[in-house]
Amino acid sequence: MATIATMLSFSLAGQPFCSFSNPTQSFSFKTITVTRPRPRTRTRTSFTWLNPQPRGVLVEATPPSSPPSPSPRDGSIKVLALPENRADDIQAEARALARAANASVYSPQLVASKYGSQPIKVVGRALQVLTAVGMFGLKLFIDQKSGALDQNKRIRAIELRDTFTRLGPTFVKLGQGLSTRPDICPPEYLEELSELQDGLPTFPDEQAFECIESELGLSIDSIFSSISPRAVAAASLGQVYKGQLKYSGKLVAVKVQRPDIEEAIGLDFYLIRGLGFLVNKYVDFITSDVVGLIDEFARRVFQELNYVQEGQNARRFKKLYADKENIFVPDVFWDYTSVKVLTMEWVDGVKLSEQEAIEKQGLKVLDLVNAGIQCSLRQLLEYGYFHADPHPGNLLATPEGKLAFLDFGMMSETPEEARYAIIGHVVHLVNRDYEAMARDYYDLDFLSRDVDVSPIVPALRNFFDDALSYTVSELNFKTLVDGLGNVLYQYPFNVPAYYALILRSLTVLEGLALYADPNFKVLAASYPYFAKRLLTDPNPYLRDALIELLFKDGKFRWNRLENLLTQGRKDRDFSAKEALQPVLKVLLSADGEDLRNLVIKEAARVSEAFTLGTMSETYRYIPDFVRTLVFNGNATGPFMMSETEMQNMIELRDQVLRIWGLLQSSHDFDPAILLPILQVLEQPEARRLGGRVVGGITQRLAARFLQQILRVPSTASE
């Protein structure tokens, strides 16, 4: 396959015409000759209904026993063996990749060269776009002059959404992209643009069937025993038909690309990019590089035009996330997939936004939303590969109660460093450490290192101090995102696409859930995942974040540990074994001296609480006359300490016991999990630490009892 790819090449004035990439290699093509090891003459056949039926029903044909394939020499039909194992599937995928070897990719230089020489076409489309956009801009200008800019934000946001819909596929995609950019658009615009759907008029079905035959080199009736004569769904870039494969009888969804869509999108991005230069130069309140954002977005849209790449995206997504029993990802049929045709397993299901239809199937919307939230968190923070177009139409509830993901044309990745930085950001948010939160924006690539974050800190404090007055279970995620969006909009932030898209995904899921339960909160549903990752992930960044969360001002915060364990146990993947061992490794590491000192101090405090707390409670059950004899005539109490200090000790002891109970009640708890811990404790550093802990406990208890003997009042600070 790599040989085929390297032999395909194109030229335009000696410059690379396009690039081709596959999972293992990238190539640039410069020559004008197109060569294949086994050249094939592609035949183009006209489409005719063999058995005319009323529109809206499936057209029947006689099925053969195995899938047909065009001859590599003359376009005649041959029979492929039914794939029986992964090797066959890989071979079929390789054939699909070969068909997609000449797929175009976005190049600003190529687009400028191509459309710069077509002034009539450019001017015609420019007038159409400028008329629509100019009218909108004029209204904004009038609003600004009249002081009604803020007052009319919602009205103008609705008008912009309608304008993008009228201008066609490129602008629908552009609007959806802008709906994830809080650094560019105010919240009102984000909300309205997020409602943009891909529902556009269909193109003629005859053109779709001709495209299938042309792309695959097969006649319709040789591939399908039946296929819907009309599209069952239409999107901005293509439309979908429901068919049944002849060789297997399986129902499939066949997505066919719109005719000349690449030409139309290329022209639009040429114009939009020119507008971006003007925005960069003259619009001061937009601080992001608009041209750079347009180029990045155009690359993503052009990737969507390669349906073989979309099939590979689906395969990778399925491998990573369909291991959970409540997530479903359809299979790809590679022998019937090319650049402009994608054939995937048909999914029977109901859109996640159709609550009534879901409940009629005996399913609960909230269960499906929770599955989507957990999958989104895994996408963002575990593997970093995620669905970048998460509108409700791409999420289906299957009759089996699974959440099915569809449409894998637009995917994105979260850098590994950012995955851990996001979790650390949540820790700083919980701790209300706004200075650390502001510094996190460097690691998240929100800000360049030369930007001073000190002015941002008061804005974060003003918003989050109010927002965090709610408990985690009360805090609305959309409110949090909108508030953070206002902060981002006011300062020189450049929000990475991965971060904006995942926020949009979680906001969409929360919005769907609110229809079923007005009290649902996505943060409460996602917090167990964060707690589990903090407690069990051995990554150094997360270990430091956990230590930062648990220790403050030299004291261990047992209430935080109890809360983390309580929440973490709600995650089905939580393991008590994993929660214990990484902590010990950090504790005994060469860089763990500061932590060891804190642990020694805390161990002494806990031992004192257990000893004195137990003695105090035992004292309550001793008869008064015995108390007088044993405690030197003191019948009021055995210790010279305040009631508050003693109560604090008892509460600490009880809290430690509750934490141990939480560990014991974990689904995988077994005393055997302590064996690795004992092995770690046999290390020399562990023995030294143990000796220091015992010494600290002995010293503290000895001081306490000497104090009692001498009847010296203690202070709560000891």
Side-chain angles (χ1 to χ4, degrees):
M1 184 176 65
T3 304
I4 295 173
T6 54
M7 295 177 68
L8 291 170
S9 48
F10 307 81
S11 73
L12 179 65
Q15 298 299 318
F17 180 78
C18 67
S19 298
F20 169 76
S21 62
N22 63 34
T24 57
Q25 293 177 316
S26 296
F27 309 96
S28 292
F29 307 133
K30 293 187 178 181
T31 68
I32 198 167
T33 305
V34 179
T35 309
R36 295 177 186 250
R38 302 177 65 188
R40 181 183 75 181
T41 301
R42 174 174 288 176
T43 59
R44 184 179 183 87
T45 59
S46 61
F47 175 76
T48 305
W49 288 112
L50 300 178
N51 298 309
Q53 298 286 340
R55 298 182 72 86
V57 300
L58 298 182
V59 178
E60 300 297 331
T62 305
S65 58
S66 56
S69 174
S71 166
R73 296 185 182 276
D74 58 9
S76 62
I77 294 176
K78 285 193 173 182
V79 174
L80 293 176
L82 181 66
E84 295 179 352
N85 51 47
R86 176 61 181 153
D88 292 328
D89 194 49
I90 291 174
Q91 291 176 4
E93 183 179 355
R95 291 191 292 270
L97 280 168
R99 288 192 288 271
N102 61 345
S104 298
V105 297
Y106 176 75
S107 165
Q109 295 78 19
L110 176 61
V111 167
S113 174
K114 180 177 180 179
Y115 295 104
S117 61
Q118 301 181 37
I120 296 177
K121 181 180 288 188
V122 170
V123 170
R125 179 60 173 169
L127 288 175
Q128 183 182 4
V129 173
L130 288 175
T131 300
V133 175
M135 288 297 296
F136 176 77
L138 179 61
K139 291 178 181 179
L140 286 181
F141 178 76
I142 294 173
D143 286 345
Q144 186 177 26
K145 289 299 183 181
S146 62
L149 192 62
D150 290 336
Q151 179 182 346
N152 291 339
K153 272 184 181 179
R154 178 67 62 182
I155 297 173
R156 299 295 173 245
I158 294 173
E159 290 177 350
L160 182 61
R161 183 193 66 197
D162 293 339
T163 299
F164 282 166
T165 301
R166 289 195 305 273
L167 287 174
T170 308
F171 288 86
V172 169
K173 286 292 182 184
L174 179 62
Q176 290 178 342
L178 287 173
S179 73
T180 68
R181 305 297 310 194
D183 54 332
I184 296 178
C185 297
E188 293 84 358
Y189 284 80
L190 296 177
E191 186 171 336
E192 291 300 329
L193 292 177
S194 67
E195 294 183 7
L196 275 172
Q197 298 296 320
D198 285 351
L200 293 172
T202 61
F203 59 90
D205 300 305
E206 289 75 12
Q207 291 186 18
F209 296 129
E210 287 178 4
C211 179
I212 294 173
E213 293 186 324
S214 175
E215 285 289 305
L216 302 179
L218 300 167
S219 62
I220 291 289
D221 61 300
S222 67
I223 303 173
F224 306 105
S225 58
S226 60
I227 187 168
S228 57
R230 283 184 174 179
V232 296
S236 58
L237 304 183
Q239 58 195 38
V240 179
Y241 296 83
K242 183 178 182 180
Q244 186 175 33
L245 294 178
K246 270 194 170 184
Y247 82 91
S248 66
K250 289 188 175 180
L251 293 176
V252 293
V254 186
K255 183 158 71 170
V256 186
Q257 198 169 108
R258 288 181 178 273
D260 303 320
I261 188 70
E262 183 179 321
E263 178 80 11
I265 287 178
L267 175 58
D268 282 343
F269 276 118
Y270 173 71
L271 295 172
I272 294 169
R273 196 169 190 270
L275 182 62
F277 280 110
L278 296 177
V279 172
N280 277 350
K281 186 173 182 179
Y282 297 109
V283 181
D284 295 333
F285 67 87
I286 295 180
T287 57
S288 299
D289 177 10
V290 175
V291 173
L293 292 174
I294 291 170
D295 285 342
E296 174 63 22
F297 186 70
R299 277 189 286 270
R300 292 182 184 276
V301 173
F302 267 73
Q303 286 175 4
E304 284 194 80
L305 295 177
N306 183 352
Y307 285 172
V308 173
Q309 179 62 54
E310 180 174 346
Q312 290 186 303
N313 294 343
R315 177 174 56 83
R316 182 181 176 190
F317 192 90
K318 183 181 183 75
K319 181 180 179 181
L320 291 176
Y321 308 116
D323 58 327
K324 300 300 180 185
E325 60 185 17
N326 50 11
I327 299 296
F328 180 81
V329 179
D331 287 325
V332 179
F333 292 88
W334 293 107
D335 279 313
Y336 307 117
T337 294
S338 69
V339 172
K340 297 182 179 181
V341 177
L342 174 63
T343 304
M344 297 186 71
E345 181 179 2
W346 180 264
V347 180
D348 282 315
V350 179
K351 289 183 180 181
L352 208 57
S353 55
E354 299 177 5
Q355 180 185 343
E356 186 176 343
I358 291 174
E359 291 178 348
K360 284 182 179 179
Q361 298 184 39
L363 304 176
K364 295 181 179 179
V365 174
L366 293 183
D367 291 342
L368 294 161
V369 169
N370 271 315
I373 290 171
Q374 298 306 313
C375 188
S376 295
L377 291 170
R378 292 181 73 203
Q379 291 175 55
L380 172 66
L381 301 174
E382 211 158 307
Y383 298 106
Y385 184 70
F386 66 92
H387 199 295
D389 192 15
H391 64 74
N394 288 337
L395 302 170
L396 296 184
T398 70
E400 298 78 21
K402 293 186 176 184
L403 179 65
F405 283 80
L406 305 178
D407 195 350
F408 302 92
M410 189 174 287
M411 309 296 288
S412 189
E413 296 196 51
T414 309
E416 185 176 6
E417 300 79 8
R419 299 177 215 166
Y420 302 118
I422 290 170
I423 298 178
H425 196 58
V426 173
V427 172
H428 296 144
L429 175 62
V430 172
N431 281 340
R432 304 194 187 205
D433 188 346
Y434 302 120
E435 289 80 6
M437 280 184 69
R439 292 192 298 271
D440 286 337
Y441 295 128
Y442 294 140
D443 296 326
L444 290 168
D445 289 332
F446 279 31
L447 296 170
S448 60
R449 296 282 176 176
D450 58 347
V451 175
D452 181 18
V453 297
S454 55
I456 301 171
V457 174
L460 292 173
R461 179 177 290 109
N462 291 339
F463 171 70
F464 284 110
D465 271 348
D466 181 54
L468 294 179
S469 62
Y470 300 99
T471 65
V472 171
S473 61
E474 295 172 335
L475 188 59
N476 183 290
F477 185 75
K478 185 180 182 304
T479 301
L480 193 62
V481 171
D482 288 347
L484 183 59
N486 277 322
V487 174
L488 300 182
Y489 182 67
Q490 296 171 19
Y491 293 93
F493 283 92
N494 181 27
V495 180
Y498 69 83
Y499 191 83
L501 288 168
I502 204 67
L503 289 182
R504 178 192 175 197
S505 176
L506 292 174
T507 304
V508 166
L509 288 168
E510 183 178 58
L512 293 170
L514 289 174
Y515 284 107
D517 180 6
N519 297 317
F520 181 86
K521 299 295 182 291
V522 71
L523 284 179
S526 60
Y527 194 62
Y529 177 87
F530 280 94
K532 183 260 296 185
R533 286 293 300 276
L534 277 175
L535 287 167
T536 62
D537 198 311
N539 179 270
Y541 190 101
L542 297 187
R543 292 271 58 82
D544 292 344
L546 177 61
I547 291 168
E548 181 182 346
L549 182 67
L550 296 180
F551 286 91
K552 185 176 183 181
D553 299 329
K555 289 187 177 181
F556 189 85
R557 295 189 282 189
W558 291 94
N559 61 320
R560 287 288 173 86
L561 178 58
E562 183 179 7
N563 183 50
L564 284 175
L565 285 169
T566 300
Q567 294 295 329
R569 288 173 66 252
K570 296 177 183 178
D571 189 282
R572 66 174 64 186
D573 296 327
F574 175 78
S575 169
K577 180 178 180 179
E578 293 178 355
L580 293 172
Q581 294 186 49
V583 175
L584 280 178
K585 291 179 181 178
V586 175
L587 182 62
L588 302 177
S589 67
D591 300 327
E593 180 60 27
D594 291 340
L595 179 60
R596 285 193 285 273
N597 290 333
L598 291 174
V599 168
I600 291 168
K601 180 179 178 181
E602 193 61 29
R605 194 167 76 93
V606 171
S607 298
E608 180 185 52
F610 267 84
T611 303
L612 299 186
T614 302
M615 291 179 63
S616 176
E617 288 197 334
T618 302
Y619 176 80
R620 297 176 184 176
Y621 297 99
I622 299 177
D624 291 344
F625 73 93
V626 177
R627 295 181 191 175
T628 304
L629 294 174
V630 174
F631 295 102
N632 240 357
N634 179 22
T636 59
F639 307 114
M640 289 293 294
M641 66 177 66
S642 68
E643 186 66 27
T644 300
E645 185 182 7
M646 178 55 68
Q647 188 60 38
N648 289 339
M649 284 191 178
I650 293 174
E651 288 178 0
L652 173 59
R653 182 202 62 180
D654 293 345
Q655 195 163 44
V656 173
L657 289 174
R658 286 197 302 272
I659 290 171
W660 177 244
L662 288 171
L663 289 172
Q664 283 183 307
S665 63
S666 176
H667 67 87
D668 66 341
F669 183 83
D670 189 314
I673 69 171
L674 297 177
L675 182 59
I677 298 174
L678 296 176
Q679 292 172 349
V680 172
L681 293 176
E682 291 177 358
Q683 299 175 11
E685 183 58 44
R687 294 198 192 100
R688 288 192 291 271
L689 177 61
R692 293 170 64 186
V693 170
V694 171
I697 293 171
T698 303
Q699 183 179 14
R700 187 176 181 98
L701 289 177
R704 177 68 72 177
F705 280 109
L706 181 61
Q707 179 188 78
Q708 299 306 315
I709 291 172
L710 298 176
R711 313 305 291 173
V712 177
S714 65
T715 63
S717 61
E718 286 184 318

